[in-house]
Structure formats: C-alpha cells, structure tokens
Amino acid sequence: MGGFAQTRAAALGLAFAPAHLNGVVENLLALQAHVRNLAAQGPASTLDDAS
Amino acid sequence: MIGQDALAVAAAVRSGKVRAEHVVSQALAAIAARNPALNAFTLVLGEDALAAARALDQAVAAGRSVGPLAGAPFAVKNLFDIAGHATLAGARIRAAAAPAACDAALIRRLKRAGAILVGALNMDEFAYGFVTENAHYGTTRNPHDPSRIAGGSSGGSAAAVAAGLVPLSLGSDTNGSVRVPAALCGVYGLKPTAGRLPLEGMFPFVRTLDHAGLFARTAAELMLAYDACLVSDGRAEAVSPQIEALAARPLKVGVLGGWFAQGAASDVLAALETVAEALAARDRLALAGAEAARSAAFCMSAHEGGQLHRAELARQLDDFDPEVGDRLLAGALLPQAIHTAAGAYRERFRNEVAAVFDQVDLALAPVTPCSAPRIGQSTMLIDGREVSVRKNLGAYTQPLSFVGVPVLAAPVNRPGLAPIGVQLIAAPGREDLLFAAALRLERQGVVAAHAPGARAP
C-alpha cells in the first residue's frame, strides 16, 4: 500500500514527505475496507484501478 | 438566569422583567470562569454581544417586537462565518483568512429571532473526525467527565450547551457531527432533512452530505430554535404550532436492526430498549444496506474532503492537524470512480430507507457504540475488534445522513451515569414527528439532559 500511496500521490501532484507515509497508508487501509464493502454491492471501482 | 432555558430567558426579556444585557453578562462571566477548563470556545464576542443585548433592551423599552428567542445567548461551531472574523473551521491554516464579510445565514436567522451571538466553538479540523481533539486549538473536554472527549466534530457546540454556558448552539453534521457529540455530552441534537436549513456562510466539508444542525438542553428549546432557523418559503413549515396535537397522537415506531444492532455496548442497548419500550416499539426493522451505505459515505467523504483541500495538501501538509492531514491526503488519492459508485449506491439505499417509512412513522437506533471514550484513547472495541475511535464513533449515524433523513439525538435519562443518546429518525421533511416523540419521551422522564454533576436519585 505504501508503494501505491507514493506513486499515486506523485502522479496527482501530492507527493508527501516520508514522515506522512504511515499515516497515509493507515488511512488508505481503512478506506480499502470500505471500498470493498461498496464494491460488494455491485459494479464499483477499486483502489487498484487507480494504480 | 443562565441555568434557565432559552424560552424562560426570552419570556423574561420580552416582558421587561430581565434585561438582555444582564443575561449576556452572566453568560460571558460563566464562559470566562469555566471555558479555560472546558475549551469549548475559540472566540468570545464580549463587546459585540453586550452591544446587541443593549439594543434589544432598547427595543423592548420602546415596545417593539423582539422575537421568540429575545436575549437568549447562542454560539456557533467555528466553521460558521461571523462578520469581521476569520472562519477557522478548526484549522490553523485558516487563521489568516480574510474576515467574513457577513454572518452565516443561520446566524442571521437566530439574531432576527432575538438571540444574541456570544462566540465561536471548537471542532475537529475541517470537521473531519468525531473527537474534537484538535492539534491547533486543543481538546474540548466533556462537561460530565473532563477526562473524556466531548465527541465531534461539533464538540464545542455540544459541550457549551451541556455545561450551561449557552442554551443554544449551532453545529454541522456530515456523517454524525451533531448527533455524536450531542449523545456523548447528554444534550439534544438535531440534524434536519438535507437541504432544509441553508448552508450559506458555512465552511464546507463534503457538500454532498453537509447539513446544518442545532443543540439544546430541552426538546422545546431545540424546536423553537429550529423554527427560528426555518424561513417562510412555503416549503418548510414551522413545527411548534401543531406539535401538541401531534404529541398526543399515537406513533408507529420500530427499532432498526442489523447493522444498528451490532457492536454496541450493553449500556447503549439498554438505553435504546428503554426508549423503545416507552414508544411501544416492538418491531425490528430491516435495513440491509446500512453497512454498505456507511462505507459509501466514508468513501464519499474521504474523496470530496480530499479534493476540497487538494491545493493545501500539496503545499502545506505539515500545517494540518496530523490526524486530519494524512486522512485527507489518503482521500485525495481515491479514484473518482469510487465517488461515482458511492453516489449510485446512495440512490439504492434511499429507496430502501423510504420503504422503512412506509411501515413506521419513526425509527430508533443508537447514536454511538459506546459512551464517551477517554481523551487520547485512539481505539475502542466493537464486536471484539479494535477500531479507531476517530473514524468509528459515527458508525450508526453515517448511513442516515448519507440519505438525508431527519434525525434527532435525544439524551436518555441516566442521571449520574455517562450520557448515552438515541437517534429518533423520520422520513424526509417529518421533523414534526421527531419533536412530537422527543416531547413525549421528555414528559415521560425517559429522555432528559442533566447538568454536569447530577447524581442518580
């Protein structure tokens, strides 16, 4: 997830310092669980679609 | 006088028995004495409030009409524009923002009803959280137990009312930010139907989900303030004129099951059962899509919140509250397609919720899974799983604001015990049913706001 976060952030012009990596990853993991819940309801994107 | 409610204050001021200046002076003195320990206020409008009170007293003396909230002090979450002051929205990066040109629409409406604005209140940065542990402006403490959080994101609004510093306050509720702190501080909180109250002059969090809301210590005060916030545009009718007839009418009430019945602490479930029994609510109502709705609201908030602050996140991430900045940045990384999927699911879930209100007038659910966690407590247990406090106190509120139904958080009558709230939920536009039920429960002694320090009988 760390690699995804850094690559995606750089692509969006949101590159961040290493000190934020753990916090961003922790929040992405929480989001990933909710994205999966949503995807289970029908066609939905996933975080992987963005990479 | 401050210990009395807004209705008593207004009646006394209108009749000339008490001067509004005296009421406001008392409120300012109480804030000066108690706010340093509570940290609910981030701005106190001493001279402006006293000047407004003197003007009101002059109007009373001249025999002019002064409104139903005459002289009642109120305060607002610091994301509401206050003319002449920067709108902080809980953020240090907003401290140097240009002063607001005019008051937010709801402040103007309450002032028109005679209420006196005395200050602005603490919140989670950019309204993203349920704790009001703000890295820049400090933690707002729960008036019932200062070692515990007030909840959020409108924590200052709930704490100021619970502590008796003001009888009324304004907050905002995107995912539960009125209902959660109302429940944890033991006061009433109203999140009206989406779009019913204007958002003009409020700093946004998630425009798709943002609502304005109110706090009070009694159902009657909450109702009067809500009516004062409505504008006579033919779409929204004032609630109070017909409320007594409605309060006497039997209501068909059910309790939401499934997601709303999972994970709550035993005292929360017992409090809910007390309210359910009082309203003769025996049926369990299915709302199978609630968990997915909560997830959709979670994703929608993250994405929109992240996009809203994208420029600042790129430029000055280190100036955010660390707990909020990283969260917003993660949201900004979500693909747009996830937001689109969440929006599509919202329409499906709206239909499911509408079917519930084909069966009942009113539905009940807990507000939070537990009573107020301790300050600094980062995780809590839900169904044996350790989860983030900041992200999960709104687990039962998020599915409901997602589809914009009106909800009133009512404090269950538990003197001497940690406050716990129950959500009274109605179909869109039926705030009248919420107030009818709240008044009935209050008269039965089932719900009540207690002064901090109240002991069990």
Side-chain angles (χ1 to χ4, degrees):
Chain A
M1 189 59 88
F4 165 82
Q6 287 174 314
T7 305
R8 173 97 172 134
L12 294 172
L14 290 169
F16 52 84
H20 292 279
L21 183 60
N22 283 348
V24 173
V25 167
E26 179 194 322
N27 281 289
L28 278 172
L29 289 170
L31 279 166
Q32 187 179 48
H34 288 293
V35 169
R36 284 178 179 152
N37 269 348
L38 184 58
Q41 302 304 310
S45 184
T46 67
L47 287 184
D48 295 336
D49 295 338
S51 55
Chain B
M1 200 72 207
I2 288 306
Q4 295 185 29
D5 65 24
L7 283 68
V9 166
V13 167
R14 278 199 306 270
S15 69
K17 287 181 185 161
V18 172
R19 290 171 58 81
E21 185 180 3
H22 176 67
V23 174
V24 170
S25 295
Q26 279 198 323
L28 294 173
I31 293 165
R34 297 172 60 197
N35 190 60
L38 196 61
N39 197 35
F41 281 80
T42 54
L43 171 70
V44 180
L45 299 165
E47 279 310 309
D48 288 349
L50 287 167
R54 288 186 203 108
L56 191 85
D57 288 332
Q58 287 170 2
V60 170
R64 295 200 296 275
S65 173
V66 288
L69 295 173
F74 77 104
V76 299
K77 187 175 186 175
N78 71 28
L79 57 65
F80 284 81
D81 284 351
I82 298 174
H85 297 271
T87 306
L88 295 178
R92 185 171 64 195
I93 61 175
R94 295 278 312 158
C102 63
D103 290 336
L106 288 179
I107 294 179
R108 297 199 304 270
R109 290 181 186 183
L110 287 177
K111 284 184 171 180
R112 202 176 303 144
I116 309 281
L117 180 65
V118 298
L121 299 157
N122 201 16
M123 57 181 283
D124 288 288
E125 187 180 51
F126 293 125
Y128 206 3
F130 291 117
V131 292
T132 315
E133 294 182 284
N134 186 304
H136 315 304
Y137 301 104
T139 295
T140 296
R141 294 179 180 274
N142 192 310
H144 292 274
D145 180 346
S147 72
R148 295 182 183 273
I149 61 168
S153 62
S154 310
S157 303
V161 169
L165 302 182
V166 285
L168 303 168
S169 66
L170 292 177
S172 65
D173 188 316
T174 303
N175 285 297
S177 285
V178 164
R179 292 162 285 162
V180 168
L184 300 189
C185 289
V187 297
Y188 293 83
L190 176 69
K191 183 209 77 64
T193 306
R196 181 137 283 204
L197 296 182
L199 302 178
E200 180 204 323
M202 293 170 63
F203 195 91
F205 169 27
V206 182
R207 272 299 185 216
T208 309
L209 302 174
D210 287 345
H211 301 68
L214 303 105
F215 297 84
R217 289 191 297 272
T218 64
E221 288 171 279
L222 192 71
M223 180 173 60
L224 195 67
Y226 172 64
D227 277 351
C229 286
L230 292 173
V231 73
S232 302
D233 60 0
R235 289 187 300 128
E237 293 290 328
V239 169
S240 47
Q242 73 277 6
I243 199 67
E244 288 303 331
L246 199 56
R249 202 192 86 182
L251 293 174
K252 192 166 184 199
V253 184
V255 180
L256 291 177
W259 174 250
F260 299 94
Q262 295 170 16
S266 57
D267 54 354
V268 170
L269 294 174
L272 176 66
E273 193 53 36
T274 302
V275 174
E277 278 180 21
L279 293 173
R282 292 179 187 87
D283 295 339
R284 290 294 182 270
L285 303 166
L287 202 48
E291 182 175 5
R294 193 256 172 150
S295 288
F298 201 100
C299 294
M300 191 176 263
S301 299
H303 181 269
E304 273 192 56
Q307 293 304 320
L308 180 67
H309 296 288
R310 191 169 160 166
E312 294 89 354
L313 290 168
R315 206 171 47 230
Q316 50 187 137
L317 178 58
D318 288 336
D319 293 332
F320 282 70
D321 182 322
E323 294 284 348
V324 177
D326 291 352
R327 197 174 178 194
L328 285 169
L329 199 142
L333 304 185
L334 286 183
Q336 171 66 36
I338 290 174
H339 186 276
T340 303
Y345 186 71
R346 191 184 193 193
E347 293 314 306
R348 279 173 55 189
F349 187 60
R350 203 190 302 275
N351 292 334
E352 193 182 339
V353 171
V356 164
F357 293 108
D358 288 340
Q359 303 167 58
V360 294
D361 297 311
L362 209 67
L364 305 176
V367 180
T368 54
C370 56
S371 57
R374 292 195 179 280
I375 289 169
Q377 180 182 330
S378 60
T379 61
M380 59 186 181
L381 287 175
I382 294 186
D383 274 343
R385 280 193 315 124
E386 197 171 3
V387 298
S388 160
V389 168
R390 189 177 283 262
K391 297 184 179 78
N392 290 283
L393 275 174
Y396 303 141
T397 54
Q398 273 188 288
L400 302 167
S401 33
F402 186 53
V403 289
V405 290
V407 186
L408 193 157
V412 179
N413 188 2
R414 292 161 38 93
L417 298 173
I420 287 174
V422 167
Q423 295 189 92
L424 311 177
I425 309 147
R430 295 312 307 268
E431 282 81 357
D432 55 345
L433 295 174
L434 301 181
F435 284 111
L439 284 169
R440 186 186 302 176
L441 290 167
E442 196 172 60
R443 288 167 184 168
Q444 291 174 335
V446 175
V447 301
H450 291 284
R455 294 184 180 280

